[in-house]
């Protein structure tokens, strides 16, 4: 058996096609006392074996409170890193270390430190989609579920810097009327939805409601009947009287929406070009095979210097305290 990790970022081992991978994953999870947390943007097969599926806030809360010995995070790097920041006593493993995030990549900690220094009187609110280095330079972390709730708690006289997502930042400015300085980052999935194709779908499905994530560009959000985080979009579809929905976020969320409401129709909003799908290439680096190998070898593991972890923890704890009860 050949097992390598450092260069590839994931365990490279051929999985026997005759192996009952579901049974093996279940056995290893129980034997090692592992909790499998999965984001809505994971492929359906991974969502189906998760102990908890959720948005960034729900996943962070679960990671902080789990009594498992190992957290297997089926998501991207910043999510697993946040789990480690919140619960350092646990071993946190991620199926593929290369599962990054374009938003986190758009905001290097050293450039962000300069930006912050140029605005010393500003309070820094950072979206959770950033590195531990950027979290450590922030005053409060937010997610798409609680961002508006948090901004509304900041005194009107306090200037705010928001990073790294310009689309979420601009949406927050419109929602709250606050004049914030916004870092110029964007999500490669949400910034590529096509307004032209969305309008075409609205003509084709005139009864459909448009549900959009606030990481989408403003022209897409203008067409939305509802704007919210993944969990809010899911809940809205469940509770709505409507039976058709055009969904402008990563299409992995449609798996749970279709399970929740088998009688309703969910149509993914398409990007302008390419494969006509809206999958996050980072999220989709995780596969069932990598989940299995990650469980088997307990690698790749997320590690963090304690000094950095503690600095990154403070703004996350502020978020948790300021958004208790928000979901
Ligand atoms: P939420 O699930 O918290 O809405 O975040 C969406 C996202 O893009 C995660 O990368
Ligand atoms: Fe990052 Fe966008 Fe992928 Fe979410 S969907 S992990 S924001 S690149």
């Amino acid at each position: 058996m050949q097992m390598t990790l450092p260069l590839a970022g994931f365990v490279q081992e051929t999985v026997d096609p005759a192996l009952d991978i579901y049974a093996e994953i279940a056995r290893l999870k129980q034997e090692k006392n592992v909790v499998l947390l999965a984001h809505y943007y994971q492929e359906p097969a991974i969502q189906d074996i998760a102990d908890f599926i959720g948005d960034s806030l729900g996943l962070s809360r679960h990671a902080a409170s789990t009594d498992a010995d190992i957290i297997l995070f089926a998501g991207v790097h910043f999510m697993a890193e946040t789990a480690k920041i919140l619960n350092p006593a646990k071993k946190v493993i991620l199926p593929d270390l290369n599962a990054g995030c374009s938003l986190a990549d758009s905001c290097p900690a050293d450039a962000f430190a300069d930006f912050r220094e140029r605005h010393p009187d500003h309070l820094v609110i950072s979206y959770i989609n950033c590195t531990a280095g950027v979290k450590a330079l922030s005053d409060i972390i937010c997610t798409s579920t609680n961002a508006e709730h948090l901004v509304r708690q900041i005194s009107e006289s306090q200037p705010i810097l928001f990073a790294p997502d310009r689309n979420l930042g601009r949406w927050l400015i419109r929602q709250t009327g606050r004049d914030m300085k916004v870092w110029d980052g964007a999500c490669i999935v949400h910034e590529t939805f096509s307004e032209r194709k969305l309008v075409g779908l609205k003509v084709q499905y005139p009864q459909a409601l448009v549900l959009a994530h606030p990481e989408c560009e403003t022209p897409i959000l203008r067409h939305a009947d509802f704007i919210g985080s993944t969990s809010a979009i899911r809940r809205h579809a469940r509770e709505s009287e409507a039976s058709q929905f055009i969904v402008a976020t990563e299409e992995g969320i449609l798996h749970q929406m279709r399970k929740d409401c088998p009688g309703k129709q969910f149509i993914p909003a398409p990007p302008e070009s390419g494969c006509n799908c809206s999958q996050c290439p980072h999220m989709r680096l995780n596969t069932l095979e990598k989940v299995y190998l990650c469980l088997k070898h307990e690698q790749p593991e997320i590690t963090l210097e304690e000094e950095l972890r503690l600095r990154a923890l403070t703004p996350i704890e502020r978020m948790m305290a300021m958004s208790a009860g928000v979901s």
Side-chain angles (χ1 to χ4, degrees):
M1 177 190 75
Q2 238 230 296
M3 203 266 288
T4 53
L5 174 67
L7 283 178
F10 55 92
V11 177
Q12 287 183 291
E13 184 183 301
T14 309
V15 178
D16 180 354
L19 182 82
D20 182 344
I21 198 164
Y22 291 98
E24 268 306 284
I25 288 174
R27 185 185 68 75
L28 288 166
K29 270 179 69 221
Q30 198 183 23
E31 191 179 290
K32 298 180 180 214
N33 189 23
V34 177
V35 66
L36 201 172
L37 305 181
H39 188 265
Y40 286 122
Y41 297 166
Q42 291 294 282
E43 64 175 48
I46 296 178
Q47 292 189 38
D48 287 344
I49 56 163
D51 297 302
F52 176 76
I53 313 160
D55 65 10
S56 305
L57 182 61
L59 289 164
S60 298
R61 285 176 173 153
H62 262 74
S65 62
T66 184
D67 54 13
D69 294 319
I70 300 178
I71 299 170
L72 195 168
F73 214 115
V76 290
H77 190 276
F78 78 80
M79 294 178 169
E81 191 174 64
T82 303
K84 186 70 183 175
I85 292 167
L86 282 162
N87 206 340
K90 308 296 177 187
K91 186 173 214 178
V92 179
I93 51 178
L94 176 69
D96 191 330
L97 270 187
N98 303 308
C101 168
S102 64
L103 273 171
D105 292 347
S106 77
C107 192
D110 51 354
F112 189 65
D114 289 347
F115 184 62
R116 186 180 180 149
E117 254 171 50
R118 276 185 270 123
H119 304 93
D121 53 337
H122 284 57
L123 181 95
V124 178
I125 304 183
S126 295
Y127 191 32
I128 198 163
N129 300 36
C130 63
T131 60
V134 170
K135 287 185 175 78
L137 291 162
S138 305
D139 297 303
I140 306 172
I141 297 302
C142 71
T143 73
S144 49
T145 293
N146 59 23
E148 184 179 339
H149 180 79
L150 297 186
V151 170
R152 289 192 188 280
Q153 291 176 61
I154 309 301
S155 150
E156 294 278 337
S157 58
Q158 172 62 60
I160 299 174
L161 284 186
F162 186 83
D165 187 9
R166 61 168 184 257
N167 293 314
L168 178 61
R170 286 172 188 161
W171 177 74
L172 285 169
I173 291 170
R174 291 196 296 279
Q175 289 296 105
T176 63
R178 296 295 296 260
D179 181 23
M180 305 190 294
K181 287 213 158 49
V182 177
W183 183 268
D184 191 24
C187 159
I188 43 166
V189 178
H190 291 86
E191 74 176 343
T192 49
F193 289 121
S194 161
E195 185 185 13
R196 185 180 64 84
K197 290 187 181 174
L198 177 60
V199 170
L201 279 178
K202 284 180 73 159
V203 171
Q204 200 182 340
Y205 300 97
Q207 306 299 328
L209 296 186
V210 177
L211 313 181
H213 196 280
E215 287 176 25
C216 293
E217 301 270 4
T218 305
I220 298 292
L221 295 181
R222 268 197 222 109
H223 293 282
D225 298 290
F226 177 80
I227 298 170
S229 63
T230 50
S231 51
I233 286 176
R234 180 184 178 190
R235 187 165 52 230
H236 191 83
R238 216 168 34 218
E239 292 172 358
S240 168
E241 301 276 298
S243 58
Q244 286 181 326
F245 303 89
I246 300 167
V247 184
T249 190
E250 213 270 8
E251 65 180 48
I253 183 82
L254 269 62
H255 183 56
Q256 295 305 321
M257 295 171 93
R258 287 177 176 138
K259 280 171 118 177
D260 289 344
C261 315
K264 297 186 178 182
Q265 189 181 8
F266 298 99
I267 304 134
E272 186 54 49
S273 57
C275 65
N276 226 28
C277 71
S278 41
Q279 296 183 351
C280 171
H282 306 291
M283 287 276 181
R284 302 297 175 131
L285 283 177
N286 296 327
T287 61
L288 207 55
E289 286 73 19
K290 285 181 192 166
V291 167
Y292 160 68
L293 291 170
C294 175
L295 256 178
K296 183 177 169 189
H297 297 285
E298 300 178 23
Q299 288 194 66
E301 183 181 356
I302 303 289
T303 55
L304 263 170
E305 279 176 25
E306 183 62 3
E307 189 263 339
L308 175 62
R309 186 191 75 79
L310 288 172
R311 283 194 294 126
L313 178 63
T314 304
I316 303 176
E317 285 183 335
R318 280 196 196 113
M319 166 183 84
M320 294 295 199
M322 290 170 77
S323 60
V326 176
S327 64

